[in-house]
Every structure is written in structure tokens, then in C-alpha cells.
Amino acid sequence: MSKNIVVAIDGYSSCGKSTLAKALAKKLHYIYIDSGAMYRAVTLYFLRNDIDLKDESQIAQALQDIHLNFHSRDYETHIMLNDEEVSEEIRQMHVANSVSPVAAIHAVRVEMVKQQQRMAKSKNIVMDGRDIGTVVFPDAQLKLFMTADPLIRAERRFKELTAKNPDLTLEDVFDNLAHRDYQDTTRAESPLTRAHDAIILDNTDLTPDEQLAFAVEKLQPFL
């Protein structure tokens, strides 16, 4: 195990994984790596370039042409796709509706894991996703698995999206999350699952400050 501290946060969509990860990184002055943004950025590239998800050669070539980087501004992480800022676009529904099948592709996951592990070398990091504690950093000092009531998750996500998507309905968001949950937990490649040593964090009734306090308490033995 490396001497640097790694916090791995996994869980379902719209459970507040990134909210907690960013808050924890800010409080501890760690580096926040947004793995979900990486898969969304790959999905955006695939959509823009009409990549056939069943064509292995197209995928392999596309992955060679995808260069991802993060930069931080006021503790907010922004992702660059081939030197283009795409942090806003990757959060739109057309990307959200396509990210699960892209993230399930073996070649995509292998490439993203390589990039994630490279970013984490010799740094204290907080990273959230769906297979961080099981695949990317199985030796992470602290592993959290986040969950929440499905309707609460949909309501939270709906509030985030409705301002920029006025025609969106709560039902649309609920159905999208249910579909993504099914895809994420049943896919053959690195399915969403709780690591055996991950601590469950159900934040259905927790405020952001309360879940941050929970995480800090669990990390104390390693500080």
C-alpha cells in the first residue's frame, strides 16, 4: 500500500458522491479526481464522432485520440477534453442517457483506470465513481459506498437540471436513474458493487455537512 492516502467513494447515481468528494478534498486539501466526468467526457467524444459502440477498432482509435485533464479553480474541478472545457456539456441529458453503455466497454475502462491511477501517484486523493474501491484502488485506506432513497435521488437531480432543461420532468429523471442503476449493477465489466470493506453511507436524511462529518470521522484513524 502506498503511503499517500486514498479515499474511494462509490455508489449509485445522484447520491451526492461528487458533492461529498469535493467537500472532503477541500477540507483536507487533497486532490479531487472526478472519474464520472472522465467517462462522460469519453461519451461526449463518442457521440460527437458517431463512434459505433460495437466496433472495437473504432473505439480503440478514438481512445488514442482522447486526452483528458483536470484543472482546479476555487476548489471546483473542471475537465478538459482535448484542451476543450466540457464540464457543463457532459452534465446534459443526451450524455447522461448514453454514459452507462460507454462506461461498460472494457477498453474504455482499462484506459480510464490507467489515467486515474496515474493521476493518483504520490498524492493524497479523493475519488468517486462506481468501481473505485473494487477495481481502481482496492487498497484505498477509506472506502465509502453511498446510497439513498431512489425518489430522493431523482428529486435532487431534477432540481439540478430543471433550470437548464425546462421541459424535463421528474418522471424523466426518475426513469433515467432507474435505467442507469440497472445498467451499472448488471454490466459484465466492473459492475457497481460494494467492496467488502466499504462503509455504507445512506444520505437520504443527511445534509451535506452531516455526510462530510461522517466521512471525516471515518478517516480519522488514517490521518
Side-chain angles (χ1 to χ4, degrees):
M1 184 182 294
S2 59
K3 293 182 180 180
N4 56 298
I5 293 176
V6 174
V7 179
I9 302 176
D10 293 306
Y12 296 95
S13 299
S14 297
C15 276
K17 296 187 300 295
S18 61
T19 297
L20 174 58
K22 286 187 280 190
L24 189 60
K26 179 178 180 179
K27 183 175 183 65
L28 300 176
H29 302 289
Y30 286 8
I31 300 298
Y32 168 57
I33 298 179
D34 185 350
S35 69
M38 295 172 69
Y39 287 105
R40 284 171 178 263
V42 172
T43 300
L44 177 60
Y45 183 92
F46 281 13
L47 290 171
R48 286 178 172 178
N49 292 275
D50 297 318
I51 302 300
D52 183 350
L53 301 189
K54 296 181 181 180
D55 189 325
E56 294 183 1
S57 62
Q58 272 194 39
I59 292 170
Q61 181 59 54
L63 290 174
Q64 290 183 24
D65 296 333
I66 293 174
H67 305 284
L68 302 178
N69 284 295
F70 288 101
H71 68 89
S72 181
R73 185 170 64 247
D74 298 327
Y75 289 103
E76 288 293 325
T77 299
H78 301 265
I79 190 166
M80 307 292 289
L81 169 60
N82 296 336
D83 297 323
E84 176 192 356
E85 167 72 61
V86 294
S87 300
E88 290 291 332
E89 188 171 356
I90 64 171
R91 300 297 172 185
Q92 299 303 309
M93 285 299 292
H94 71 289
V95 177
N97 286 332
S98 303
V99 67
S100 287
V102 172
I105 298 171
H106 178 73
V108 172
R109 301 201 71 82
V110 168
E111 179 59 28
M112 291 302 100
V113 168
K114 285 181 182 177
Q115 294 198 31
Q116 291 157 8
Q117 291 173 336
R118 172 182 54 78
M119 293 176 190
K121 286 183 178 179
S122 303
K123 297 177 182 177
N124 294 324
I125 69 159
V126 182
M127 188 169 177
D128 67 290
R130 287 165 177 74
D131 62 351
I132 310 306
T134 55
V135 176
V136 186
F137 296 112
D139 292 329
Q141 284 86 346
L142 176 63
K143 301 177 187 177
L144 297 175
F145 188 87
M146 295 183 65
T147 186
D149 179 88
L151 181 56
I152 296 297
R153 292 163 52 208
E155 289 174 346
R156 291 171 179 169
R157 186 65 175 149
F158 178 71
K159 289 178 182 177
E160 292 177 1
L161 295 173
T162 187
K164 296 180 180 179
N165 300 271
D167 296 329
L168 193 65
T169 67
L170 179 59
E171 184 179 6
D172 290 335
V173 178
F174 185 89
D175 290 345
N176 172 258
L177 290 180
H179 181 62
R180 290 180 64 189
D181 286 349
Y182 177 77
Q183 289 185 310
D184 290 342
T185 56
T186 60
R187 68 191 183 201
E189 186 67 32
S190 298
L192 170 62
T193 185
R194 176 192 166 215
H196 71 92
D197 53 349
I199 300 169
I200 294 177
L201 172 52
D202 185 332
N203 69 1
T204 299
D205 299 313
L206 297 181
T207 66
D209 286 343
E210 288 172 336
Q211 69 178 15
L212 175 59
F214 179 93
V216 171
E217 177 186 355
K218 298 303 179 183
L219 189 58
Q220 282 301 316
F222 307 104
L223 297 179

